[in-house]
Amino acid sequence: MLRENLRAVRENMEKAAVKSGRALNDITLIGVTKTISPDRIQELERLGVKDFGENKVQELLNKYSVISPSGGEPVNWHLIGHLQRNKVKYIMDKVTLIHSVDSQRLAIEINRRALEMDIIKDILVEVNVGEEASKQGISVDGVSEFVKELLPLTGVRVQGLMTVAPYVENPADNRELFRKMFQLFVDINENIPNNKPMSFLSMGMTNDYMVAIEEGANMVRVGTGIFGSRL
Ligand SMILES: *Cc1c(COP(=O)(O)O)cnc(C)c1O
């Protein structure tokens, strides 16, 4: 089942990529592994998915230690859920990319830890593009300023933007929001030093990843579409 699901997701991704003038290889598929057992994650890894997303620190740590790379390519872990400052220290040396930076205090803590370790941590700024009260993220109006505030932190590199769009019955209903995200991404890139361009736009989940890619996403986070329903 995993193999067939993955094939379908990749085919869909490719169609959407081509529609937006890109290729499948330009888009990173992050397999969202929350609630999924290590043996199934390892199975996905053997099928060629090397990027995994977890929304909880403890779950990420549990799985990190038991999933091993096969076929020579390392695996990348992505923290995609809300991150508390007191948990930053546990993941600094384990995650490739933190998608959910939504406050300056969090960014400062990541920066502090990174400088201690003599590394630069790649992060994305989470945007609450739907302006939902229930969601984390910087408001659309504040993103540009927020990114500028992070630029002086030499231990973090703002690699892009991330959003969790609202759940909608009809995925096309999120098209305008994805467009808004892409526009933000382009506008901010024009206004930050050109030696620090953002590279990643992380948006699109099982329900709407095709629309997100059509509108410019180059990272999609898919759980249910690969593993089936978590319920
Ligand atoms: C769970 C989750 C996903 C994946 O959701 P699916 O609908 O199962 O694809 C993507 N992003 C975040 C932040 C998540 O928490």
Side-chain angles (χ1 to χ4, degrees), residues 165-176:
Y167 179 80
V168 287
E169 287 291 328
N170 178 4
D173 291 348
N174 276 338
R175 189 177 297 281
E176 282 308 317

Side-chain angles (χ1 to χ4, degrees), residues 94-160:
K94 302 199 169 53
V95 300
T96 304
L97 186 61
I98 300 171
H99 289 232
S100 45
V101 174
D102 58 358
S103 77
Q104 202 174 21
R105 289 166 81 203
L106 175 60
I108 286 169
E109 172 62 8
I110 298 169
N111 181 62
R112 186 173 76 81
R113 297 278 174 188
L115 294 176
E116 260 174 29
M117 299 165 72
D118 203 18
I119 60 169
I120 299 175
K121 197 80 229 159
D122 286 341
I123 62 167
L124 303 182
V125 168
E126 181 166 358
V127 182
N128 185 357
V129 73
E131 311 281 351
E132 294 172 278
S134 61
K135 290 240 169 89
Q136 315 285 343
I138 307 294
S139 72
V140 170
D141 290 342
V143 184
S144 177
E145 196 53 41
F146 184 74
V147 170
K148 279 196 195 119
E149 283 165 7
L150 302 192
L151 289 177
L153 303 177
T154 52
V156 298
R157 187 181 292 126
V158 181
Q159 283 281 20

Side-chain angles (χ1 to χ4, degrees), residues 32 34 54-55 80-81 126 162-164 204-207 221-225 228 230:
V32 175
K34 60 190 185 201
E54 282 285 342
N55 64 340
I80 61 175
E126 181 166 358
M162 176 271 210
T163 198
V164 179
M205 305 170 29
T206 295
N207 188 46
R221 310 177 307 267
V222 179
T224 313
R230 284 183 293 271

Side-chain angles (χ1 to χ4, degrees), residues 85-101:
R85 275 178 301 146
N86 62 354
K87 299 206 171 145
V88 167
K89 55 179 178 286
Y90 302 119
I91 61 163
M92 283 299 290
D93 61 341
K94 302 199 169 53
V95 300
T96 304
L97 186 61
I98 300 171
H99 289 232
S100 45
V101 174

